[in-house]
Each structure stands twice: as structure tokens, then as C-alpha cells.
Amino acid sequence: AQSVAQPEDQVNVAEGNPLTVKCTYSVSGNPYLFWYVQYPNRGLQFLLKYITGDNLVKGSYGFEAEFNKSQTSFHLKKPSALVSDSALYFCAVRLNRDDKIIFGKGTRLHILP
Amino acid sequence: SQTIHQWPATLVQPVGSPLSLECTVEGTSNPNLYWYRQAAGRGLQLLFYSVGIGQISSEVPQNLSASRPQDRQFILSSKKLLLSDSGFYLCAWSVQGGTDTQYFGPGTRLTVL
């Protein structure tokens, strides 16, 4: 069965430092991978997605993610964290012939000033 | 451009009362539509999805139902609310038949007392 895992409930990073939020997946076939961000009491906002092509995907707000097929991972990264990046981040996976998305349980990112 | 609306934004209801949450999408035709519930600010649970008018798929058997009376309108209902129905309800849409991203509404915070 397809699944997506975010192994960290919370990640703390000092402002200005690089950040990584981890995501691994398990699917049969070619996965479509997504990252979303959620601010308190708000809906999810789309950050970026990987469908095919270049393994490094650039998205909104300076975020990027690297697709690694051998490690079945899709980690979210940013070179220099901002306090305003503090939020809940969701990784998601979708099969190429399915209209549904499976979401990870979320990782809370705290950027410390 | 496309926009998605949800109302009400917040709702406090007594146990045993009925529920109706509405979601509408503007700027697109024949979208896929989704209802999710998010408990305790973490993971998303897919409740229902629809690929067309009158076509509803239920993911989790429960106290809730969904309807799609118009192409861009998706309604979540209950005849009698339970305490466990409390949560943050999110509606989302995507382009039908592809690998496209899901876009989320602002959500409805439901508290059942």
C-alpha cells in the first residue's frame, strides 16, 4: 500500500541557518510528490511538486526539494530560514493514475530568532 | 484565476444537532472536489471526494455525508453531530483527470459541545 512518512514531529532551526524537513514515501509506480505548508487556522498552501524531470524542484518562498528515487525520499530544504517560515509542513504523494493524495502526518517547523 | 470558498469559518454546535458546511469553487469547470478533516492541528483525513455532480466516494464510514448538487459546489452534512466530529474541515479542488495539485480552502473550525 502506498504511504508517506514524515519521521520528525518537530524541527527547530535557528534563523539564518539552513533547514531540512524530511519525507519518505512508499508507492508502486511513478510517484507524484508534493509539499504543502499550513499556518495556524488556515488552509494548506501548495509549495512545490515533483512530477518528472530534474530531481531538484524549486518552489514558493525560497523552498526547494530534492527527489531521490533510490532512497525514496523527497526532503524539503531552504538555504536560510526565516522566523516567518515557522508553520506545519505536509509531504504528500499521489499515484499518476489516481485522483487522491496521501498526506504525511506533518512536521512542525520552529524557526528560532 | 481560481478561488475556493468555505463557510462558515467557525461553528459551534451542540451534540445531536445537524450540520451543513459548504464549499464552492470559482474560475474552473468540472473540478475534482475533496473534504478533509484535520484533528488537533496535525494529520489530514480524507472524508469524501467527488469527480462530478452526484458522484461521491466515501473514504471513511462515519457520521457524515457529502453531496455535490452543482458542478462547483460541495456540501458536507450530518444529521446528528457527535463530540468526535469536532475538528478543522478543509475543502480542496483539483483539475480532473491529471496529476495536478490540490488547492485548499480556508477551512471551517467546528466545535461540538
Side-chain angles (χ1 to χ4, degrees), chain A residues 1-3 25-32 72 93-97:
Chain A
Q2 63 184 55
S3 64
Y25 65 91
S26 174
V27 299
S28 56
N30 295 321
Y32 298 134
T72 61
V93 64
R94 179 175 184 171
L95 285 183
N96 59 358
R97 292 185 184 276

Side-chain angles (χ1 to χ4, degrees), chain A residues 2-113:
Chain A
Q2 63 184 55
S3 64
V4 58
Q6 294 181 243
E8 303 154 317
D9 285 344
Q10 182 168 311
V11 172
N12 297 322
V13 177
E15 187 177 24
N17 283 2
L19 69 87
T20 299
V21 183
K22 296 179 180 178
C23 172
T24 59
Y25 65 91
S26 174
V27 299
S28 56
N30 295 321
Y32 298 134
L33 296 156
F34 303 82
W35 275 102
Y36 287 83
V37 60
Q38 185 181 31
Y39 298 98
N41 296 309
R42 305 291 295 273
L44 276 67
Q45 294 179 31
F46 168 71
L47 279 179
L48 52 80
K49 65 181 177 184
Y50 171 83
I51 304 298
T52 187
D54 194 347
N55 289 342
L56 185 63
V57 179
K58 294 188 183 296
S60 306
Y61 312 121
F63 284 94
E64 58 188 27
E66 186 168 10
F67 172 63
N68 188 317
K69 189 172 183 178
S70 62
Q71 297 185 7
T72 61
S73 67
F74 189 56
H75 300 333
L76 182 70
K77 300 180 180 183
K78 187 173 182 179
S80 179
L82 301 173
V83 172
S84 57
D85 293 330
S86 298
L88 186 58
Y89 289 81
F90 290 96
C91 181
V93 64
R94 179 175 184 171
L95 285 183
N96 59 358
R97 292 185 184 276
D98 197 326
D99 288 322
K100 295 183 288 183
I101 285 178
I102 291 177
F103 287 86
K105 62 181 175 65
T107 298
R108 196 165 298 280
L109 178 63
H110 287 285
I111 307 302
L112 309 171

Side-chain angles (χ1 to χ4, degrees), chain B residues 15-37:
Chain B
V15 170
S17 62
L19 173 73
S20 181
L21 303 181
E22 190 166 343
C23 170
T24 59
V25 181
E26 296 177 356
T28 187
S29 296
N30 200 26
N32 291 332
L33 295 170
Y34 308 83
W35 278 112
Y36 291 88
R37 177 167 58 201

